[in-house]
Amino acid sequence: MTPALKTPDRVGLPYLKIGIILCPSFTLTPMASFVDALRLAADKQDQSRQVYFAWDFISAGPLPVRASCGLEMVATGNLENPSAYDCIAVCGGLVRDMDHIQAATFDYLQAADKRGIPIIGLCTGSFVLAQAGLLRHRECALHFDTLGEFAARFQDVSPVTSQNYVIDGNIVTCPGSIVAIEVAAFLIAHYSNAGRAQKALNYLLFKPEEPRIVLRTKPYEEALGAASRLTVEAVKVMETRIDTPCSIEELARSLNTSKARLNRAFLADLRTAPAAFWRRIRLIAARELLASRRRSVTEIAYETGFCDTAHFCSTFKKHFSMTPEQFRRIGKL
């Protein structure tokens, strides 16, 4: 359904402040997936500061707050004032422990709903929202394993198991697991921009064997034909990690070598340092993405591993003698 998410009244940063309610025996994966996506979008240089997005953890049951896997969390918020947050997420737990949820939790959610505050149900968080009466005559996304139990308890709700998440008015629900990453990415894009959302997706959904960006042109390919095995293997890693570059020290360790040896190999084979070569690969990828005209400059900056748009634009201009926008206007490689 069409999103009807309330825009925060706050002027300035953070773009969104979220209260994350943790139910007794909450499921760790959806909570961690949701929060880590926010963390990656909340800062410029992956320093994990809560600058652009902020969040508190709130207990819905007795302390300590404990996940179903045994991990204990420290509550940093409370159930006193729902207006303290622009959005509230409920991370559900084991269905058998739903009876341990405090009555104040349902009052809190009802008060938030009356104010039009966006509310998210992660995993069995949908059970909690339904128990609070917030899903009556609405659709919600469920995992198929919990469908039978949910349908038996809440016959006035329309559950679906074929969608990653459902938006119905100010309520967003998802079946849990790593789908929570997509929910967080939606919020990031909705309240900030698509570039920050893509940055989070690139980091969290990265698979070494499945590069998210594939180069069409490799002007260095001929030089690699005569390069050492170490250089060739390092370049292969760089090509699969265009969107998630790491330090040269980390790259060297992954190849069971030293930074000094890797530097010597690149200087001998390609006449440049590994960091400069990796940056060149990312800029070539950025140029190809700009030529496709399908993404904004900000999105491309994050997709090619740059910490922010300004850094990307200055680096691109230094390398190609024109800004990304100037290159896009030319319209050809």
Side-chain angles (χ1 to χ4, degrees), residues 243-283:
D243 54 346
T244 55
C246 62
S247 68
I248 300 305
E249 289 89 346
E250 291 177 87
L251 175 62
R253 283 197 298 270
S254 72
L255 296 169
N256 295 316
T257 190
S258 66
K259 179 182 176 182
R261 186 180 170 214
L262 191 59
N263 270 310
R264 288 195 298 270
F266 267 72
L267 289 171
D269 296 331
L270 302 173
R271 305 293 186 268
T272 187
F277 186 83
W278 204 345
R279 184 165 55 249
R280 180 188 175 197
I281 288 178
R282 290 158 55 209
L283 288 169

Side-chain angles (χ1 to χ4, degrees), residues 123 141-148 160-161 174-177:
C123 194
L142 284 178
H143 193 284
F144 60 84
D145 275 350
T146 60
L147 177 61
V160 297
T161 60
C174 88
S177 188

Side-chain angles (χ1 to χ4, degrees), residues 187-204:
L187 292 175
I188 294 163
H190 187 80
Y191 290 104
S192 176
N193 60 59
R196 291 191 180 280
Q198 193 61 52
K199 174 188 176 183
L201 290 171
N202 287 347
Y203 271 78
L204 295 177

Side-chain angles (χ1 to χ4, degrees), residues 29-30 33 122 163-165 173-184:
T29 299
S33 297
L122 301 174
Q163 297 183 49
N164 284 358
Y165 60 90
T173 53
C174 88
S177 188
I178 61 170
V179 174
I181 295 172
E182 294 185 32
V183 176

Side-chain angles (χ1 to χ4, degrees), residues 224-239:
L224 280 182
S228 65
R229 181 177 178 181
L230 176 59
T231 298
V232 171
E233 289 301 316
V235 171
K236 284 182 180 178
V237 174
M238 292 175 179
E239 289 175 344

Side-chain angles (χ1 to χ4, degrees), residues 39-82:
R39 177 187 69 82
L40 288 163
D43 205 358
K44 282 187 176 181
Q45 297 179 329
D46 195 22
Q47 296 183 34
S48 297
R49 298 173 301 177
Q50 296 186 24
V51 178
Y52 299 101
F53 295 89
W55 53 92
D56 279 323
F57 297 107
I58 302 169
S59 175
L63 296 175
V65 190
R66 185 177 288 111
S68 58
C69 67
L71 176 72
E72 290 188 0
M73 298 281 293
V74 175
T76 56
N78 55 56
L79 293 170
E80 294 177 3
N81 179 21

